[in-house]
């Protein structure tokens, strides 16, 4: 009864809420969110620098997250590169001096806080030609005005960045009197025009006063209250923002330090000065404000302008626009033709007579419809990760952000289980299930930023290796059993693997190697194909007649292993091969192929292990050594129990080793040789018991069928800034944002999977003569793409 009720309920849900209706809902959500963000940008402005300077929150204890954008953590080399030949001036009191020290330590961490505190402090890095000065002016008075006025003269070199602020000394010296506040307003009013004049040629920031922790203040500072500080801040904001007749002041308000201080002032030693971590955050914000627009770091979206469209991107936009227009025209014509063919009444018999029409979609219609959908999807990709429409935020890892979702999807996966159609080892439903849960774990790993936690990192490395293991197992099994080495099979696999990535390389202006997993799988597929297709072609049908052919295949596999070892330990030879044009255009990243070599050698043996496992398994299956019936253990009870025990011990042993690794370099060195242990252990645990082999999770299997699309799409429409951050569609509510963005992301991935399948049947026909013509067109397309890419590279340099 319970099972019947469950099935009836599932059918009822599917009747009202199908994949199609989910995609329609996702489209409506995208349009509404885009409209809301566009309206917000128009109303609140499109300058993420304002958000960086004025708003944000803490993720954990020390990680600051600006509102709507990502902050880059600058290294010494990056800071020097940005500030070469630059002069930065800090003017103000002891709080500004602290900010000066923190800023300088980004450039030179060895710089010490020493010397007379009430004097000017210079800093200069002669190698990078960077000059940073602190000028002691604790009050907004004539002395500060004169210092600023000198810079407004035409003959004097002006600082490129000026950071100023003061108030607490005025409150302290004048015992918090109202007359001091009035004088402060008069002084800042006289300085404001000078700052505005400087702001036309330099970046000028006025630092608002941070709150104090009144309980910790010494007796001679008790008059510095937060009420007084707020009054001085209000005066500075109102005067500086109204100091020009323009609609907007050029002097930027550095008010974010107030928010930082509100969270951290309790850690202050004297109640007045911020702890070092807070000052470092403020200094890094200043660095982001000035340097992001110069260096354009991928994970520093604050203050970055939208990148200009390249020639290839413009051509792609024209192509998709024409596809959309073409499909709309085709749809209107087809609809009119359909209306003409409506049922009409036969005058003689008085009955309706239907005209005979062919309702099946033509290849041209499918082609136009697919490119129309793809064009709209690519527009969404561009809006998410290239245009400044949607927001982006940094990742922040906590154990709960990774393990709680893992537990949640595990429960869902166990709940949705069904019987398999067949009970063979690694049957189709089981491999889809395996791909599905692995992909979901990898997605959670990426969005939670769990790569910083080494044990999790090492287990995810095993999941990536398991994907490659399946590549070796699946393709070897196909070629070994079917013996189909035709060009159609090769083109179908290459098209399905690479279609989405090629489109994204064009639309998102990214190199092929950026989507590292697809090049990895593509190259290994070609390696498997060449290994088995080269003379002598050894397949199962031929090998069954003579055991000599098995020996020949083992020789082929041994030669493949020898080649892998040679390339793994000869980085120079590997890089020479893949640095040859046009391979270099595919496998270079940041001007070299080191990243490709690193990715390849990290899992260099696992595809070979997958091929070897497939050969042994199929040989045992052919000799009927295995019991693969429903509910039957794979081997005899005794052997099954022994193998299960060994598998569980091996599985746990690997996990203990991975958790005890000291650093990534040490772990990565051993990973290629030992990752297969946990993979084989999992396969045996999953397949030896007959009841485990007879069921699978339909929930995981559904995701497994679109695992490749999920892996690629996450780069731009779930994560952000090329996986460095998180896409924010709904600001202020992280949980709701994840739910909505995940729903849209999964719908898009599923639709792209269907589009790829539809186009594969049209673009890669079975007829060899037609296929060769299509391949010639595809080759011409890639030649044109290479030429355009070379032209772009020259124009950039």
């Amino acid at each position: 009864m319970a099972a019947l009720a469950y099935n009836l309920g599932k059918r009822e849900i599917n009747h009202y809420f199908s994949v199609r209706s989910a995609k329609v809902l996702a489209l409506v959500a995208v349009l509404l969110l885009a409209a809301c963000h566009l309206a917000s940008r128009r109303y609140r402005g499109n300058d993420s620098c304002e958000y960086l300077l004025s708003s944000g929150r803490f993720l954990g204890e020390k990680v600051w997250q600006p509102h709507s954008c990502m902050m880059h953590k600058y290294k010494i080399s990056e800071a020097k590169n940005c500030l070469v030949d630059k002069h930065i001036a800090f003017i103000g009191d002891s709080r500004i001096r602290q900010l000066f020290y923190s800023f300088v330590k980004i450039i030179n961490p060895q710089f010490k806080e020493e010397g007379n505190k009430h004097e000017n402090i210079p800093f200069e890095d002669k190698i990078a030609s960077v000059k940073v000065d602190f000028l002691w002016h604790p009050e907004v008075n004539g002395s500060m005005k004169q210092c600023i006025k000198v810079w407004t003269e035409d003959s004097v070199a002006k600082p490129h960045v000026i950071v100023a602020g003061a108030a607490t000394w005025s409150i302290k010296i004048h015992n918090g009197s109202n007359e001091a506040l009035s004088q402060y307003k008069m002084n800042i009013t006289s300085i404001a025009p000078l700052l505005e004049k400087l702001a036309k040629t330099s970046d000028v920031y006025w630092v608002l006063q941070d709150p104090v922790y009144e309980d910790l203040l010494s007796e001679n500072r008790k008059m510095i209250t937060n009420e007084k500080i707020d009054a001085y801040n209000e005066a500075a904001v109102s005067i500086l923002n109204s100091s020009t007749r323009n609609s907007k002041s050029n002097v930027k308000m550095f008010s974010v330090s107030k928010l930082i201080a509100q969270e951290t002032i309790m850690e202050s030693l004297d109640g007045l000065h911020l702890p070092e971590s807070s000052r470092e955050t403020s200094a890094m914000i200043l660095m982001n404000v000035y340097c992001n627009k110069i260096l354009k770091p991928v994970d520093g979206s604050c203050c970055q302008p939208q990148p200009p469209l390249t020639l290839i991107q413009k051509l792609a936009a024209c192509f998709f626009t024409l596809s959309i227009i073409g499909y709309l025209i085709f749809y209107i014509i087809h609809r009119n033709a359909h209306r003409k063919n409506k049922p009409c009444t036969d005058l003689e018999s008085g009955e309706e007579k239907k005209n005979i029409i062919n309702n099946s979609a033509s290849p041209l219609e499918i082609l136009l419809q697919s490119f129309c959908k793809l064009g709209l999807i690519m527009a969404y990709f561009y809006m998410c990760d290239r245009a400044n429409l949607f927001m982006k935020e940094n990742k922040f890892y906590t154990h709960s952000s990774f393990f709680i979702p893992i537990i949640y999807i595990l429960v869902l996966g166990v709940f949705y289980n069904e019987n398999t159609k067949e009970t063979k080892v690694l049957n189709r439903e089981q491999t889809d299930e395996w791909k599905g849960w692995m992909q979901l774990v990898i997605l959670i790993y990426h969005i939670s930023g769990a790569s910083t936690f080494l044990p999790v990192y090492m287990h995810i490395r095993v999941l990536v290796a398991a994907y490659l293991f399946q590549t070796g197992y699946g393709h070897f099994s196909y070629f070994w059993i079917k013996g189909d080495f035709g060009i159609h099979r090769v083109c179908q696999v290459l098209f399905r693997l690479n279609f989405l990535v090629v489109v994204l390389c064009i639309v998102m202006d990214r190199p092929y190697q950026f989507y590292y997993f697809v090049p990895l799988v593509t190259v290994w597929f070609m390696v498997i194909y060449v290994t088995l297709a080269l003379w002598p072609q050894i397949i199962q049908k031929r090998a069954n007649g003579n055991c000599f052919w098995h020996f020949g295949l083992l020789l082929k596999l041994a030669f493949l292993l020898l080649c892998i070892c040679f390339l793994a330990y000869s980085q120079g030879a590997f890089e020479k091969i893949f640095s040859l044009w046009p391979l270099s255009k595919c496998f270079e990243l940041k001007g070299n192929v080191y990243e490709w070599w690193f990715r390849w050698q990290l899992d260099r043996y696992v595809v070979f292990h997958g091929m070897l496992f497939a050969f042994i398994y199929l040989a045992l299956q052919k000799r009927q050594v295995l019991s693969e019936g429903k509910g039957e253990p794979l081997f005899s009870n005794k052997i099954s129990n022994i193998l299960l025990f060994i598998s569980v011990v091996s599985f746990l042993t690997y996990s203990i080793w991975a958790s005890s690794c000291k650093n990534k370099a040490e772990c990565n060195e051993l990973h290629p040789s030992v990752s297969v242990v946990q993979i084989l252990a999992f396969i045996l645990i999953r397949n030896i018991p007959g009841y485990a082999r007879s069921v699978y999770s339909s929930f995981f299997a559904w995701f497994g069928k679109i695992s490749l699309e999920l892996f690629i799409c996450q780069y731009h429409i779930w994560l952000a800034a090329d996986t460095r951050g998180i896409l924010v569609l709904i600001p202020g509510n992280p949980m709701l944002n994840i739910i909505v963005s995940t729903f849209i992301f999964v719908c898009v991935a599923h639709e792209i999977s269907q589009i790829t399948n539809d186009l594969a049947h049209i673009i890669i026909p079975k007829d060899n003569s037609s296929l060769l013509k299509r391949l010639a067109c595809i080759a011409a397309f890639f030649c044109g793409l290479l030429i355009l890419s070379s032209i772009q590279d020259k124009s950039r340099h």
Side-chain angles (χ1 to χ4, degrees):
M1 288 298 292
L4 179 63
Y6 167 74
N7 288 327
L8 289 173
K10 190 163 69 170
R11 288 175 190 171
E12 190 73 16
I13 291 170
N14 290 339
H15 178 72
Y16 291 104
F17 191 77
S18 61
V19 173
R20 182 182 177 85
S21 58
K23 290 175 183 176
V24 172
L25 184 60
L27 177 61
V28 172
V30 168
L31 294 174
L32 287 174
L33 288 167
C36 291
H37 278 268
L38 191 61
S40 175
R41 294 280 179 181
R42 285 182 170 274
Y43 175 72
R44 301 178 65 179
N46 197 29
D47 187 5
S48 58
C49 275
E50 289 189 8
Y51 294 130
L52 179 60
L53 290 168
S54 62
S55 58
R57 69 185 191 278
F58 271 106
L59 303 175
E61 294 182 1
K62 297 180 180 179
V63 180
W64 182 254
Q65 173 59 61
H67 175 69
S68 85
C69 63
M70 295 168 61
M71 198 168 80
H72 177 65
K73 189 173 182 180
Y74 277 89
K75 300 175 184 176
I76 299 169
S77 57
E78 292 173 322
K80 288 182 178 181
N81 186 27
C82 168
L83 301 175
V84 64
D85 295 326
K86 297 295 188 295
H87 178 204
I88 298 96
F90 289 79
I91 313 167
D93 54 16
S94 57
R95 286 174 158 188
I96 299 296
R97 183 179 64 239
Q98 282 189 314
L99 185 58
F100 158 80
Y101 277 124
S102 296
F103 188 86
V104 168
K105 284 180 180 179
I106 298 175
I107 306 166
N108 181 7
Q110 281 74 43
F111 189 70
K112 296 180 180 179
E113 300 183 22
E114 57 187 15
N116 194 328
K117 294 183 177 180
H118 296 169
E119 288 183 355
N120 298 342
I121 304 171
F123 168 81
E124 185 174 5
D125 189 312
K126 293 182 179 179
I127 297 173
S129 299
V130 180
K131 186 180 179 183
V132 187
D133 290 324
F134 168 70
L135 305 175
W136 172 252
H137 291 283
E139 287 191 273
V140 181
N141 54 19
S143 176
M144 180 183 282
K145 179 181 178 181
Q146 184 59 34
C147 175
I148 295 171
K149 189 176 181 181
V150 170
W151 288 328
T152 61
E153 297 174 3
D154 295 334
S155 58
V156 177
K158 302 169 181 61
H160 297 88
V161 181
I162 299 168
V163 182
T168 54
W169 267 65
S170 298
I171 299 172
K172 177 183 173 182
I173 292 172
H174 301 285
N175 202 26
S177 65
N178 290 330
E179 290 79 8
L181 178 59
S182 300
Q183 186 63 44
Y184 179 83
K185 290 179 180 178
M186 291 173 59
N187 291 339
I188 204 167
T189 301
S190 65
I191 288 175
L194 301 176
L195 293 175
E196 280 295 333
K197 188 175 180 180
L198 281 173
K200 293 177 181 178
T201 55
S202 305
D203 287 358
V204 179
Y205 304 95
W206 186 266
V207 181
L208 297 183
Q209 294 300 299
D210 302 329
V212 295
Y213 192 53
E214 296 179 13
D215 295 343
L216 282 178
L217 291 173
S218 59
E219 286 301 321
N220 62 338
R221 289 175 176 167
K222 286 292 185 182
M223 71 290 296
I224 306 175
T225 63
N226 287 323
E227 185 181 353
K228 290 291 180 183
I229 285 173
D230 289 340
Y232 276 74
N233 282 338
E234 288 174 11
V237 170
S238 61
I239 293 168
L240 291 173
N241 280 343
S242 61
S243 61
T244 178
R245 294 181 180 179
N246 299 330
S247 59
K248 190 175 179 181
S249 172
N250 291 319
V251 178
K252 301 176 180 69
M253 292 291 144
F254 192 82
S255 57
V256 69
S257 61
K258 289 198 314 176
L259 297 178
I260 296 170
Q262 286 172 3
E263 300 290 332
T264 60
I265 193 64
M266 297 80 78
E267 301 170 21
S268 171
L269 297 176
D270 57 8
L272 179 67
H273 299 99
L274 292 178
E276 189 173 357
S277 61
S278 304
R279 292 150 39 196
E280 289 172 354
T281 301
S282 295
M284 195 60 72
I285 290 172
L286 277 175
M287 191 69 74
N288 274 257
V289 171
Y290 186 76
C291 291
N292 281 4
K293 56 182 176 287
I294 298 172
L295 297 185
K296 298 184 173 82
V298 174
D299 60 342
S301 64
C302 301
C303 302
Q304 275 204 51
Q306 182 175 329
L309 287 171
T310 64
L311 176 61
I312 293 176
Q313 285 176 312
K314 290 176 183 177
L315 291 173
C318 292
F319 171 79
F320 284 122
T321 303
L322 290 173
S323 298
I324 293 169
I325 294 170
Y327 176 69
L328 291 175
I329 293 170
F330 188 94
Y331 177 78
I332 292 168
I333 294 171
H334 181 75
R335 190 174 180 182
N336 289 335
H338 182 71
R339 283 178 178 174
K340 290 177 182 178
N341 285 282
K342 275 187 174 181
C344 56
T345 305
D346 191 332
L347 297 176
E348 292 183 4
S349 64
E351 296 178 356
E352 284 191 344
K353 184 172 67 177
K354 293 183 180 180
N355 293 326
I356 299 172
I357 57 171
N358 186 13
N359 291 323
S360 61
S362 65
L364 178 61
E365 183 181 359
I366 294 172
L367 196 68
L368 287 173
Q369 186 184 51
S370 297
F371 281 121
C372 176
K373 290 178 181 178
L374 191 63
L376 295 173
I377 290 170
M378 288 303 112
Y380 178 63
F381 271 78
Y382 189 85
M383 283 193 301
C384 287
D385 210 21
R386 288 298 174 267
N388 291 329
L389 179 62
F390 296 124
M391 301 174 179
K392 304 174 180 71
E393 289 189 354
N394 295 91
K395 300 176 186 177
F396 178 69
Y397 175 74
T398 60
H399 292 320
S400 60
S401 67
F402 177 76
F403 289 105
I404 290 176
I406 293 291
I407 295 169
Y408 180 70
I409 64 162
L410 180 64
V411 171
L412 281 175
V414 171
F415 181 75
Y416 289 96
N417 65 82
E418 296 180 12
N419 293 325
T420 58
K421 293 177 182 177
E422 57 179 347
T423 55
K424 293 181 179 179
V425 172
L426 292 180
N427 57 68
R428 184 58 184 266
E429 288 100 340
Q430 190 184 129
T431 54
D432 283 340
E433 173 202 85
W434 193 6
K435 289 177 183 176
W437 71 256
M438 287 195 303
Q439 186 56 63
L440 292 176
V441 171
I442 289 171
L443 290 175
I444 295 169
Y445 164 81
H446 281 155
I447 202 165
S448 63
S451 59
T452 56
F453 187 47
L454 192 55
V456 172
Y457 167 81
M458 286 310 301
H459 283 85
I460 296 299
R461 289 265 25 110
V462 175
L463 299 190
V464 175
Y467 268 100
L468 294 171
F469 181 93
Q470 285 195 50
T471 297
Y473 172 83
H475 292 305
F476 178 91
S477 299
Y478 178 86
F479 290 128
W480 176 249
I481 296 171
K482 301 282 187 181
D484 178 12
F485 296 101
I487 192 171
H488 177 262
R489 163 71 180 178
V490 176
C491 292
Q492 278 276 337
V493 172
L494 293 180
F495 182 87
R496 291 173 189 273
L497 285 176
N498 291 276
F499 172 71
L500 176 57
V501 164
V502 170
V503 173
L504 286 177
C505 288
I506 293 169
V507 173
M508 306 303 287
D509 189 29
R510 281 294 174 264
Y512 180 62
Q513 182 54 35
F514 175 74
Y515 307 93
Y516 74 92
F517 186 73
V518 171
L520 203 57
V521 176
T522 301
V523 167
W524 278 117
F525 167 72
M526 291 306 300
V527 168
I528 297 167
Y529 175 77
V530 170
T531 301
L532 298 178
L534 283 179
W535 183 88
Q537 286 186 3
I538 305 171
I539 59 174
Q540 189 180 58
K541 189 176 181 181
R542 176 181 290 184
N544 288 339
N546 191 339
C547 291
F548 173 78
W549 291 112
H550 285 97
F551 179 71
L553 180 63
L554 289 174
L555 284 178
K556 274 192 170 188
L557 293 178
F559 181 73
L560 173 61
L561 180 61
L562 189 66
C563 293
I564 292 169
C565 292
F566 171 74
L567 290 175
Y569 293 103
S570 180
Q571 184 180 348
F574 184 95
E575 291 185 351
K576 281 180 181 178
I577 293 170
F578 289 98
S579 294
L580 296 172
W581 193 90
L583 285 178
S584 59
K585 295 296 293 183
C586 295
F587 296 100
E588 279 186 355
L589 193 64
K590 298 178 181 177
N592 59 68
V593 296
Y594 173 78
E595 181 70 17
W596 167 232
W597 179 81
F598 172 77
R599 295 286 185 183
W600 177 86
Q601 64 90 31
L602 202 57
D603 294 300
R604 56 186 178 270
Y605 300 126
V606 75
V607 173
F608 172 80
H609 290 145
M611 296 171 68
L612 188 61
F613 176 82
F615 173 71
I616 295 170
Y617 163 67
L618 292 171
L620 292 175
Q621 186 187 58
K622 194 68 180 176
R623 283 159 179 74
Q624 298 181 348
V625 175
L626 306 175
S627 302
E628 295 183 301
K630 189 172 183 179
E632 295 179 3
L634 200 59
F635 303 97
S636 64
N637 288 333
K638 185 177 180 180
I639 295 175
S640 294
N641 290 335
I642 292 170
L643 287 176
L644 269 177
F645 176 77
I646 294 171
S647 299
V648 171
V649 171
S650 301
F651 193 93
L652 294 175
T653 301
Y654 179 90
S655 293
I656 293 167
W657 170 79
S659 302
S660 61
C661 257
K662 295 178 182 178
N663 54 67
K664 282 186 180 180
E666 177 187 310
C667 294
N668 287 337
E669 189 175 347
L670 291 172
H671 168 76
S673 304
V674 300
S675 60
V676 69
V677 172
Q678 198 163 40
I679 294 170
L680 291 176
F682 170 78
I683 292 172
L684 293 175
I685 292 169
R686 182 71 178 82
N687 286 277
I688 287 177
Y691 61 87
R693 205 171 58 251
S694 303
V695 296
Y696 78 104
S697 169
S698 56
F699 175 79
F700 289 142
W702 189 89
F703 286 99
K705 291 173 183 175
I706 58 170
S707 60
L708 183 67
E709 288 77 15
L710 287 170
F711 186 84
I712 300 167
C713 289
Q714 67 168 324
Y715 278 70
H716 303 294
I717 62 169
W718 197 51
L719 304 175
D722 296 342
T723 74
R724 306 294 180 85
I726 298 170
L727 179 68
V728 179
L729 299 177
I730 303 176
N733 194 327
M735 184 60 69
L736 182 60
N737 176 68
I738 289 293
I739 292 171
V740 173
S741 65
T742 302
F743 174 71
I744 296 170
F745 158 59
V746 172
C747 289
V748 168
H750 189 273
E751 185 62 33
I752 289 176
S753 177
Q754 290 187 335
I755 291 170
T756 304
N757 289 333
D758 290 341
L759 291 176
H761 291 300
I762 296 171
I763 296 175
I764 312 294
K766 290 184 178 180
D767 179 58
N768 281 339
S769 60
S770 299
L771 178 57
L772 290 173
K773 291 176 184 177
R774 302 280 171 84
L775 290 179
C777 293
I778 292 170
F781 167 76
F782 279 109
C783 287
L785 198 62
L786 284 172
I787 293 168
L788 289 173
S789 178
S790 299
I791 293 170
Q792 275 186 186
D793 290 342
K794 287 180 180 178
S795 64
R796 283 171 178 170
H797 294 308

